[in-house]
Amino acid sequence: MQVSLLNYKLDPFNSKLLLFGEYGLMYGAMALTIPFERFSGFLDFDSDQTHQDSTAEIMKFYEHLKHGESFQELNFGFDLKSLKKDLDEGLYFNSNIPQQYGVGSSGALVAALFSKYAAYLYSTNELKPELLKADFAIFESYFHGKSSGLDPLISFLNQTIWIDSKKSPKIINFSLQQTDLSIALIDTQTTGATGPLVQHFIDRFNSPEFEQAFERQFLPANNGCIESFLECKNPEFFLFLEQLIVFQLLYFQRMIPGDFHRIISKALQEKVYIKLLGSGGGGFLLAFAESDALLQNWAEKQGLKLFLVTKN
């Protein structure tokens, strides 16, 4: 069910979980993402001079916007003058969102900056998801090389977003608590830089074999996961999810860190389903199972610590 647009917070801005649609979103795949309140960040002023690195990074972003041609393509005006003034006074992003972990640290920063230096200039009716997403893609491309704009959008609106087959972002009334599945994060104990992995994925389309596999295997599995997940059709969901994971093991090897290739493959035999969360390369992986007990018992045998997202 689609709901009203504007229910975003001024601060803090939450992290996100891109449940499905990683990479494929750039090439017509559906996507499903939810706000994740466990991590968040907000704009603040550095009174004790202990957050100069954050201020410096935002200053680089300011310079990028000031001198970049893409700034002219924005749908919404952005108050660069006020941003510069605040940066000179020690503006920084006060955040506990792990960086390069797939939970949207840069997206939350972009959402916070847009809210403070752009959104106030417009009415609720003017802040349409499609236009916001387009601007956010321009902003976040600074951090990742190429961005769909979805991460900042989820942080800005703070609601579940489904990207449908027509690439249109829809705000839907759905939370993970509506499922009876056990869902958890697995910490790979390493970080992954999004930009190089996104470029690697784009380069893969130079191979006709990969392009064909993407069309015939990834898209049906990814979209099937989303549709069955939203409808709480668990047996069907796990069938699609296994297909998606097998595709990732075959074609996203660079995105899966270290020993987790073997762990993910063997977990399937025990009905534990582990997929990428966001761009991968490190950070968190996303695990699904029918029950907490099944997931916890598996994790104990593997010596892995789970970060439960749902509690059933």
Side-chain angles (χ1 to χ4, degrees):
M1 180 178 69
Q2 194 166 349
V3 296
S4 62
L5 165 66
L6 198 57
N7 187 29
Y8 65 88
K9 300 177 182 178
L10 293 177
D11 59 270
F13 289 85
N14 292 324
S15 60
K16 57 81 191 181
L17 298 180
L18 179 59
L19 301 176
F20 304 99
E22 63 284 335
Y23 291 105
L25 179 60
M26 295 184 292
Y27 290 90
M30 291 184 186
L32 182 66
T33 183
I34 63 169
F36 190 49
E37 297 181 0
R38 206 73 61 90
F39 305 116
S40 63
F42 59 93
L43 294 174
D44 202 352
F45 286 90
D46 190 10
S47 58
D48 56 6
Q49 302 294 304
T50 58
H51 300 89
Q52 294 180 9
D53 287 349
S54 177
T55 300
E57 285 302 314
I58 301 175
M59 183 66 80
K60 291 177 184 177
F61 180 62
Y62 160 79
E63 294 291 343
H64 168 76
L65 293 179
K66 181 181 178 181
H67 299 292
E69 295 180 2
S70 60
F71 189 74
Q72 308 303 320
E73 302 172 10
L74 296 175
N75 294 295
F76 301 103
F78 193 92
D79 190 351
L80 283 174
K81 184 177 180 180
S82 293
L83 173 58
K84 179 59 165 62
K85 177 179 178 294
D86 288 344
L87 283 167
D88 289 341
E89 295 177 4
L91 182 79
Y92 79 102
F93 192 50
N94 190 337
S95 170
N96 66 358
I97 306 173
Q99 295 186 25
Q100 297 186 337
Y101 252 68
V103 287
S105 57
S106 62
L109 170 60
V110 167
L113 290 170
F114 183 87
S115 180
K116 184 171 178 61
Y117 300 104
Y120 76 94
L121 297 168
Y122 300 91
S123 69
T124 299
N125 291 335
E126 291 177 291
L127 297 173
K128 299 182 183 300
E130 294 86 354
L131 298 178
L132 289 168
K133 183 172 176 291
D135 278 13
F136 288 152
I138 292 172
F139 288 135
E140 204 184 23
S141 66
Y142 166 77
F143 298 98
H144 299 320
K146 183 173 182 179
S147 168
S148 68
L150 185 57
D151 283 8
L153 185 65
I154 187 71
S155 291
F156 183 73
L157 297 177
N158 199 46
Q159 297 188 63
T160 300
I161 296 177
W162 169 42
I163 304 294
D164 64 16
S165 57
K166 298 179 181 178
K167 301 184 181 180
S168 176
K170 296 183 182 299
I171 303 166
I172 61 173
N173 187 14
F174 181 85
S175 74
L176 293 183
Q177 306 309 318
Q178 293 174 231
T179 76
D180 59 356
L181 301 175
S182 181
I183 305 173
L185 301 178
I186 298 174
D187 190 347
T188 65
Q189 302 292 316
T190 184
T191 57
T194 298
L197 293 176
V198 169
Q199 188 58 53
H200 170 69
F201 173 74
I202 294 170
D203 292 343
R204 293 296 302 275
F205 276 87
N206 293 325
S207 164
E209 178 192 355
F210 178 80
E211 185 173 8
Q212 185 178 82
F214 178 83
E215 292 286 339
R216 295 183 179 180
Q217 299 173 37
F218 178 89
L219 287 179
N222 176 81
N223 296 353
C225 279
I226 293 173
E227 292 170 340
S228 55
F229 185 74
L230 291 175
E231 295 172 5
C232 298
K233 296 180 178 179
N234 293 351
E236 185 177 336
F237 168 69
F238 282 121
L239 286 175
F240 282 120
L241 183 56
E242 183 168 359
Q243 294 171 21
L244 181 62
I245 291 168
V246 169
F247 179 91
Q248 292 186 347
L249 288 169
L250 286 173
Y251 294 100
F252 285 0
Q253 293 182 16
R254 184 170 166 182
M255 291 77 162
I256 301 172
D259 292 339
F260 282 94
H261 293 86
R262 176 185 57 82
I263 291 172
I264 293 171
S265 181
K266 292 190 68 174
L268 288 173
Q269 301 171 20
E270 301 186 47
K271 304 300 181 184
V272 173
Y273 302 81
I274 306 170
K275 66 178 293 294
L276 296 178
L277 176 69
S279 60
F284 291 119
L285 295 171
L286 193 60
F288 296 83
E290 291 182 347
S291 70
D292 288 350
L294 194 161
L295 196 52
Q296 293 279 25
N297 290 338
W298 170 84
E300 287 178 11
K301 287 190 292 184
Q302 296 296 322
L304 295 172
K305 185 177 180 181
L306 295 178
F307 190 40
L308 285 175
V309 176
T310 57
K311 294 183 179 180
N312 299 311

